[in-house]
Structures are given as structure tokens and as C-alpha cells.
Amino acid sequence: MSAKELSYNTHSAAQLRHLTIRQLRSLAALAAKGSVTAASTQLGLTQPAVTQQLRQLQDLAGLPLLQRTGDGMLLTEAGKEVLTLAERVEAAITDCQGALDLLAGRTGGTVHLGAVSTAKYFVPHAIAAFSKRYPKIELKLTVGNREEIREAMHGYDLDFAVMGRPPADVSVDVRQLGRNPHIIVARKGHWLEKDSGLNLTDLVHETFLTREPGSGTRTLMEGMFQRSDLEPIIGMEMSSNETIKQAVIAGLGIAFISAHTVAHELTEGRLIVLDVAGLPIVRQWYVIRRSDKVLLPPAQAMFDFLGSEGANYLPELPEFGAR
């Protein structure tokens, strides 16, 4: 180890433990707003006060935390490390407040649950069942596409999330929830309805209605065609499974989609499943949480409930799922 590295390690070990929450919040506000002026407004402090907090924090860190650019103040790599610390401290404070409220009998606690949009067809039913068992626990649900939920898992706001594939860039603990089959659906009366043993090559002239890039279903569909060296015709991109279903029913095209999103329409006969070789593609539903996220008792209870009983709330599917 060089003399410079030894000097820094000694400095950081001795000094960084003296930082304050106000200093961390000043850095977080600057990172979010891009200027000292905007950060001071958010914090309700004067600009000199925020500047002083940032200067003191940088002195304690022993490395430059900020860099002035034409686009405003940006964090250096060292600044980003300290910002991560700030986020973890804020999450720990929130968790502690929740635990204290729980111990004081002021609340049953709050659980922050995320779910990819495809999971919204069964997650509310699981939430309803859990709420009957634990009526004092407040549940907050955030729904987004896979990319949005993956990004949310980089922070500490969500206690856990329900999704089809755990993110590869975050260390997580995983509970398997149940099977998630993907199929190709068409409107009742489609000209391929009675054909069996179709191949993807039989569908290259069909128009596919699909989710937006970043959706897990879209990624899975593209991979399926790429493995066969084929490219589907994309008619429209839609951010809602509901819109895709209605568009297929209207005859605007066909769709590769999670069977759980169309169970009702299949039962009613408004949609049919095309018999395509290799389908359904069966993935799994998972409940995931950050490995370093400490779950309070209410969140742990919900996490365990989904892991052990969540499969009971998946929509019932027709017999194609067994093919």
C-alpha cells in the first residue's frame, strides 16, 4: 500500500464517522436538483448553509465529492458512494420509525410492494387476502414495467417486488411464487384458430401487438423469435396489457402475452390460444427483496405470505398450460 493510500485510509477511518445527517441530506438534495440554489429551496436552508454542509462533508470524506459542469453540479465517483450511504441512512431511519410506531401501538406498520404490470392480475387478490389476516398493516403498491421495477429495486423504498425475472445487477433474496406461462393469442374466429402444430414461421406474416421496449414480455418474445432467426412484424407498441387485449379482440393483430393477463377473456371465448410448437414458454413468478434490505415484521410477514401462499391467487388457466 502506498503512503498516499495509507494516509487516505487513516483519514477516512478517523473522520467519516463524524458526518451528520444534515450533510448527507445536503448532498442528496444537490444530486436530485443539480444546483445549490435548488437544493437549498428543497431543504428550507440558505445557500451558504448548504454550501457549508457540502464543504464539511467533502473534508470528512477526504476526496472530491462534486464536480462543476456546464450542466450543473454533478457527483464524482466518491460522491456517488456517499450518496448511496445517504440513501441507506434514510431507509434505516424510516425503518426505525416504523418499528417504533409498531412497538408503541400507533400503527400496524406499512409495507411497500412493487409489481410488474403483468402481475397486477393476481397481486391485488393476494393483498386482499393478506389484509384480512392483518387488517392493521397498511399496504402500498407500485406497478410498473420490468425496467421501472428493476430501477426501483436499486433503492430502498420498496420492501420487495413481484416480477418474472430477478434483476441481475442487484443482490437479492428470492422466493418462488408460481408458474407464469406465455402464449400467443388471437381473436375468436382467427383464420389459424383450428390449425394445430403451427411453427413460428407460420406467423411471420401476422401482425403482432406488443408491449413497449423494457417490458419483460417484449424481451421474452424477441428472444423467442431471435432463436429461430425470425423477426416478427410489430403493428403497435402499447404500454398496457388491457389495451393489447382489446386490440386483439378488435382484430388488429395477435399477441404474445402472459396467460395470466388473458385468463378471463379465454374463459369467455373472446380470445383463443394459437397452437404453436414450443409454447407455452413457462417462466416463474418471484417475490424478491434486496439482500441488504432489513424487513420489519409487517413486511417480513407479507414476504413470507407471498412465498408460501401467493400461488393460490394466480388466475386459473385452461388446459393448454399442461401441453
Side-chain angles (χ1 to χ4, degrees), residues 50-68:
V50 173
T51 299
Q52 182 181 18
Q53 295 297 328
L54 293 171
R55 185 179 296 117
Q56 291 173 346
L57 180 60
Q58 184 163 272
D59 289 343
L60 291 173
L63 288 171
L65 304 181
L66 303 170
Q67 178 176 324
R68 190 180 300 276

Side-chain angles (χ1 to χ4, degrees), residues 117-119 121 241-242 245 257-265 315 317:
S117 54
T118 306
Y121 293 92
N241 289 317
E242 288 299 320
K245 289 193 293 186
I257 198 166
S258 168
H260 290 140
T261 68
V262 293
H264 186 63
E265 288 76 13
L317 299 174

Side-chain angles (χ1 to χ4, degrees), residues 61-79:
L63 288 171
L65 304 181
L66 303 170
Q67 178 176 324
R68 190 180 300 276
T69 72
D71 296 324
M73 299 291 287
L74 299 180
L75 299 188
T76 63
E77 288 302 312

Side-chain angles (χ1 to χ4, degrees), residues 179-248:
R179 289 159 49 91
N180 180 19
H182 288 71
I183 57 179
I184 294 178
V185 296
R187 68 177 299 182
K188 181 69 175 176
H190 190 276
W191 72 283
L192 292 174
E193 178 178 0
K194 299 186 183 302
D195 288 10
S196 60
L198 295 169
N199 292 302
L200 287 182
T201 52
D202 298 316
L203 305 178
V204 293
H205 300 297
E206 296 293 318
T207 298
F208 277 81
L209 310 175
T210 185
R211 291 289 302 275
E212 75 285 1
S215 159
T217 304
R218 172 70 174 268
T219 301
L220 187 59
M221 183 192 77
E222 290 174 342
M224 176 182 69
F225 276 96
Q226 287 171 2
R227 286 190 295 272
S228 297
D229 293 324
L230 299 171
E231 186 173 344
I233 298 174
I234 304 299
M236 286 188 285
E237 294 179 353
M238 306 174 188
S239 60
S240 163
N241 289 317
E242 288 299 320
T243 307
I244 290 177
K245 289 193 293 186
Q246 295 304 318
V248 173

Side-chain angles (χ1 to χ4, degrees), residues 10-317:
T10 303
H11 170 90
S12 62
Q15 300 297 325
L16 196 58
R17 64 170 58 94
H18 298 301
L19 61 79
T20 67
I21 292 176
R22 176 168 287 188
Q23 292 166 355
L24 291 177
R25 286 176 174 166
S26 294
L27 183 70
L30 181 64
K33 298 299 183 179
S35 72
V36 173
T37 301
S40 64
T41 300
Q42 176 178 311
L43 296 170
L45 299 173
T46 64
Q47 293 183 41
V50 173
T51 299
Q52 182 181 18
Q53 295 297 328
L54 293 171
R55 185 179 296 117
Q56 291 173 346
L57 180 60
Q58 184 163 272
D59 289 343
L60 291 173
L63 288 171
L65 304 181
L66 303 170
Q67 178 176 324
R68 190 180 300 276
T69 72
D71 296 324
M73 299 291 287
L74 299 180
L75 299 188
T76 63
E77 288 302 312
K80 292 176 182 177
E81 286 294 326
V82 178
L83 179 62
T84 298
L85 171 63
E87 292 172 346
R88 296 182 68 174
V89 167
E90 292 290 358
I93 291 173
T94 300
D95 289 345
C96 181
Q97 183 62 60
L100 294 176
D101 287 343
L102 190 63
L103 292 171
R106 290 190 290 266
T107 178
T110 301
V111 178
H112 296 264
L113 168 64
V116 293
S117 54
T118 306
K120 69 183 180 182
Y121 293 92
F122 66 89
V123 168
H125 297 286
I127 289 176
F130 181 82
S131 295
K132 289 181 180 179
R133 192 174 302 181
Y134 301 98
K136 290 187 177 181
I137 295 179
E138 179 184 0
L139 293 159
K140 295 184 177 180
L141 176 63
T142 298
V143 177
N145 67 24
R146 171 182 160 74
E147 186 63 23
E148 291 167 339
I149 297 300
R150 187 189 70 80
E151 283 297 320
M153 292 300 296
H154 281 80
Y156 294 86
D157 290 338
L158 294 181
D159 289 310
F160 50 85
V162 176
M163 59 196 310
R165 183 161 47 95
D169 54 352
V170 181
S171 177
V172 296
D173 292 334
V174 177
R175 298 280 185 89
Q176 187 169 305
L177 193 151
R179 289 159 49 91
N180 180 19
H182 288 71
I183 57 179
I184 294 178
V185 296
R187 68 177 299 182
K188 181 69 175 176
H190 190 276
W191 72 283
L192 292 174
E193 178 178 0
K194 299 186 183 302
D195 288 10
S196 60
L198 295 169
N199 292 302
L200 287 182
T201 52
D202 298 316
L203 305 178
V204 293
H205 300 297
E206 296 293 318
T207 298
F208 277 81
L209 310 175
T210 185
R211 291 289 302 275
E212 75 285 1
S215 159
T217 304
R218 172 70 174 268
T219 301
L220 187 59
M221 183 192 77
E222 290 174 342
M224 176 182 69
F225 276 96
Q226 287 171 2
R227 286 190 295 272
S228 297
D229 293 324
L230 299 171
E231 186 173 344
I233 298 174
I234 304 299
M236 286 188 285
E237 294 179 353
M238 306 174 188
S239 60
S240 163
N241 289 317
E242 288 299 320
T243 307
I244 290 177
K245 289 193 293 186
Q246 295 304 318
V248 173
I249 292 171
L252 296 180
I254 62 177
F256 177 83
I257 198 166
S258 168
H260 290 140
T261 68
V262 293
H264 186 63
E265 288 76 13
L266 292 175
T267 300
E268 291 187 337
R270 291 189 290 159
L271 289 175
I272 55 97
V273 181
L274 295 184
D275 184 10
V276 181
L279 295 181
I281 295 178
V282 180
R283 293 293 185 261
Q284 296 292 325
W285 286 115
Y286 297 100
V287 189
I288 67 171
R289 71 176 182 91
R290 287 189 61 127
S291 299
D292 59 353
K293 171 71 174 178
V294 178
L295 296 185
L296 293 177
Q300 187 65 56
M302 182 65 175
F303 187 74
D304 293 340
F305 173 82
L306 288 175
S308 61
E309 302 182 40
N312 297 334
Y313 303 97
L314 294 174
E316 292 187 11
L317 299 174

